[in-house]
Amino acid sequence: MLTPEVLGSALPVGRFVLGLRRLLNEEPTLQHQMLRGEIARWSRARSGHVYLTLRDDDGSIDAVMWSSRAPRMDLEEGSEVVVIGSVDLYPTRGHLQLQVASIHAVDTIGELEAERRKLIAALKAEGVLDRPRRPLPALPRHVAIVIGSQSAAEADVLRLSEDRWPGLRRTVIGVLVQGEKAAEELARGLRVAARLADPIYAASRGAPPVDVIIVGRGGGSTEDLWAFNLERVARAVVSMPVPVVSAVGHESDVLVSDLVADVRASTPSDAVERVVPVRSDLEQHHDDLALRLEASAARRFAETRQHHRLLRHRLAGAPASGLSRARGQLGDLRSRLDQTVDARLTETANRLVERGHALQRAVDVHLGRQRERLAGLGAALRTTDPRKVLERGYGMLQQPDGSVIGSVGDVAVGDALMVHLADGTVTTAVEDVHRT
Amino acid sequence: MSKTPSYSEALQRLEAIVAELERGGTDLEATVKMFEEGSELLRTCQAHLDEAEGQLKRLRLADAEAELEEPQP
């Protein structure tokens, strides 16, 4: 029999539960605690609240996520998760539960990461990662860009490429770059690019074939970029007939598309800088080369002209005496050569100015022959130079009128004679004439 | 040359010619030949630049695929 005293000392259960709740709420180790476990039950009520049970081998606890905190996607039972939550007691039913503020699936990213590693290992085993990379074309004639449709990255790529090469031929294929369909769309976009790179197909469309492909998107979270880690995209990149630049906006993570592409760019804009030269720079380089070509050729011509002058001077220095006929001939030849050389050089200079108009080859051959002939004559002259003979102790006889005496018939007794020696002239008279 | 050289080939050859002419020592006939070849290469390079000019096309994936299937003009 319970006495009133006993009854009076008994706590009403509600007060006990509320006290217990206060205790739990005030215990810091039970608040905002990070817990790891697996989802044993997952149920979303019509209100949007999610009721779940977390468990591991040693225990389990019921939990609730209010609709404002619940993830949009349901998680599968059995998934490994990390939650942040606080212990609370639902007084009406005395039910202890964890109020979850946030939930992170360990498994989803873990599984994906495992798949990614498996894919990389497979690609490596197949030799795909070590295959030789193709160089980018020095000059792209048609760039295909597979990128987020209507994205900021697309706008950046178009603006930057237009700045570098106004009017460059580009085909942009706008695709989804995140979400479930991203990998499929990227692969299909790449297939379109590959078709445009087929020379026969391109010719039938009257456009040069695509010779380089940029595939990418702007930056985002690891999950946002995940399509670029999937096999479908990797295989599509590898199968492209022309060099591919992987252009996903990120610095630290390396994506599978980066590993398999011919060139890895850190952003879509970086890809443009690698692919599209600055046209005005190339034109300036051409202008430099044109100037240097003209200047160096002109210098060569001037040198040749100088060489001709030298030959002429040597001719002019030929002996004045006793060779008037040969000299006359040479003079003729010289003036003809002068004319020819001058005419040719003038012509060449004109052609230089016009840049690219050629001298007629035949004319050059002719000129070359003239030059050789002239050089030959010069050499012959040098060997027959009478002064060389005089140095050996011979004398050359000349009438006072300058005609050379080559025969005893040219003189009579009493004639005055000039004897040229190597270092001067002696005037003498004929005393006797005797024919041998 | 039987086939038009690529841009890089043409540019490389042109640079080599200019370097050789600048080094000096070529005779008249060789100079003329090199000058002619260099001028031709310059024209080739410039023509390559012009070839890169063309249309900008912006297509959604589905439209790009549809265009591939279109009967050719």
Side-chain angles (χ1 to χ4, degrees):
Chain A
M1 190 69 178
L2 292 173
T3 61
E5 288 76 19
V6 173
L7 272 174
S9 66
L11 273 176
V13 69
R15 270 180 63 192
F16 174 76
V17 170
L18 287 171
L20 183 58
R21 185 185 193 195
R22 196 165 51 242
L23 254 172
L24 293 172
N25 290 349
E26 285 170 359
E27 170 54 46
T29 59
L30 299 180
Q31 304 301 312
H32 304 293
Q33 182 64 47
M34 189 150 69
L35 302 176
R36 181 173 179 170
E38 132 187 347
I39 296 175
R41 176 179 64 100
W42 180 280
S43 127
R44 194 183 291 264
R46 203 167 292 166
S47 58
H49 308 324
V50 169
Y51 297 94
L52 63 155
T53 303
L54 295 173
R55 68 165 293 280
D56 65 14
D57 291 344
D58 298 320
S60 77
I61 189 170
D62 287 337
V64 61
M65 293 189 80
W66 306 124
S67 58
S68 60
R69 303 279 192 160
R72 263 168 292 160
M73 302 277 288
D74 283 330
L75 293 175
E76 281 183 22
E77 289 173 7
S79 320
E80 183 91 3
V81 292
V82 169
V83 302
I84 295 170
S86 305
V87 172
D88 196 11
L89 192 68
Y90 181 49
T92 319
R93 288 176 52 212
H95 183 190
L96 187 130
Q97 61 183 6
L98 191 69
Q99 287 195 8
V100 175
S102 67
I103 185 164
H104 304 272
V106 177
D107 257 10
T108 28
I109 203 70
E111 264 169 36
L112 285 172
E113 178 56 28
E115 250 174 64
R116 174 181 178 272
R117 288 185 189 164
K118 226 170 84 186
L119 173 60
I120 292 172
L123 292 169
K124 194 167 176 58
E126 289 170 37
V128 171
L129 299 190
D130 304 320
R131 77 189 199 289
R133 298 304 197 264
R134 293 164 291 197
L136 296 175
L139 213 61
R141 289 193 303 168
H142 189 172
V143 183
I145 300 153
V146 180
I147 201 162
S149 183
Q150 312 286 325
S151 62
E154 180 194 355
D156 285 349
V157 162
L158 290 180
R159 187 178 33 73
L160 185 60
S161 56
E162 184 67 24
D163 281 352
R164 295 173 71 86
W165 192 295
L168 181 71
R169 184 181 293 103
R170 288 154 295 171
T171 299
V172 179
I173 301 148
V175 298
L176 292 173
V177 290
Q178 78 190 64
E180 275 176 43
K181 292 195 120 188
E184 182 210 326
E185 289 224 345
L186 282 163
R188 277 164 57 199
L190 284 168
R191 260 205 310 279
V192 172
R195 187 94 171 102
L196 296 174
D198 173 11
I200 297 168
Y201 177 81
S204 76
R205 296 277 162 161
V210 161
D211 48 12
V212 55
I213 298 168
I214 295 173
V215 58
R217 55 157 291 155
S221 68
T222 304
E223 288 88 344
D224 290 343
L225 309 181
W226 203 260
F228 291 85
N229 275 324
L230 297 180
E231 179 159 17
R232 195 160 183 179
V233 173
R235 297 284 178 198
V237 166
V238 172
S239 73
M240 289 300 105
V242 294
V244 180
V245 182
S246 173
V248 182
H250 62 113
E251 293 297 336
S252 49
D253 311 355
V254 173
L255 301 165
V256 176
S257 66
D258 293 334
L259 295 176
V260 296
D262 293 281
V263 173
R264 178 202 167 180
S266 61
T267 60
S269 297
D270 180 34
V272 171
E273 286 178 359
R274 287 158 185 265
V275 166
V276 181
V278 177
R279 180 169 179 159
S280 56
D281 287 354
L282 299 184
E283 281 177 336
Q284 184 160 3
H285 186 45
H286 290 179
D287 288 347
D288 283 352
L289 285 170
L291 279 174
R292 285 169 58 195
L293 180 68
E294 285 179 24
S296 57
R299 212 156 40 237
R300 290 283 82 68
F301 286 122
E303 279 167 15
T304 309
R305 196 189 173 115
Q306 187 62 32
H307 181 62
H308 282 269
R309 283 221 184 90
L310 227 67
L311 283 175
R312 239 157 42 202
H313 284 310
R314 278 207 215 141
L315 274 177
S321 54
L323 292 167
S324 40
R325 207 170 48 142
R327 229 180 125 197
Q329 280 175 352
L330 283 172
D332 262 11
L333 185 60
R334 201 175 66 205
S335 69
R336 261 166 52 211
L337 190 60
D338 265 359
Q339 282 167 11
T340 317
V341 170
D342 280 346
R344 290 298 156 262
L345 288 178
T346 308
E347 200 179 320
T348 308
N350 289 339
R351 281 166 197 274
L352 268 176
V353 171
E354 287 168 25
R355 194 165 113 187
H357 284 204
L359 271 178
Q360 286 168 6
R361 200 180 136 70
V363 169
D364 295 314
V365 170
H366 175 67
L367 182 57
R369 228 184 271 132
Q370 289 279 51
R371 202 178 61 218
E372 277 167 23
R373 202 172 147 201
L374 186 55
L377 283 167
L381 268 176
R382 271 196 308 283
T383 58
T384 57
D385 189 340
R387 277 174 298 195
K388 292 247 184 269
V389 181
L390 300 183
E391 277 163 18
R392 302 209 296 270
Y394 293 89
M396 186 177 80
L397 301 183
Q398 223 177 359
Q399 305 266 20
D401 68 0
S403 57
V404 174
I405 299 162
S407 156
V408 290
D410 292 340
V411 295
V413 172
D415 278 358
L417 289 182
M418 277 156 57
V419 183
H420 294 279
L421 299 172
D423 56 356
T425 309
V426 176
T427 306
T428 180
V430 178
E431 288 183 358
D432 190 12
V433 176
H434 177 69
R435 190 181 290 270
T436 51
Chain B
M1 227 166 283
S2 58
K3 123 185 198 304
T4 313
S6 74
Y7 179 74
S8 330
E9 286 164 358
L11 196 65
Q12 245 175 34
R13 174 77 188 127
L14 175 58
E15 281 167 346
I17 285 178
V18 169
E20 179 154 5
L21 283 175
E22 284 178 341
R23 207 161 34 240
T26 51
D27 65 18
L28 183 63
E29 192 174 334
T31 302
V32 170
K33 268 173 115 171
M34 287 166 84
F35 178 76
E36 281 172 4
E37 192 188 344
S39 304
E40 185 56 40
L41 288 167
L42 263 172
R43 270 194 299 276
T44 304
C45 286
Q46 196 59 37
H48 275 297
L49 294 200
D50 295 338
E51 254 184 54
E53 276 192 26
Q55 240 187 319
L56 166 65
K57 274 192 178 178
R58 291 174 68 190
L59 301 167
R60 268 288 309 160
L61 177 62
D63 301 326
E65 286 173 330
E67 211 182 280
L68 289 186
E69 298 315 317
E70 268 172 28
Q72 287 153 28

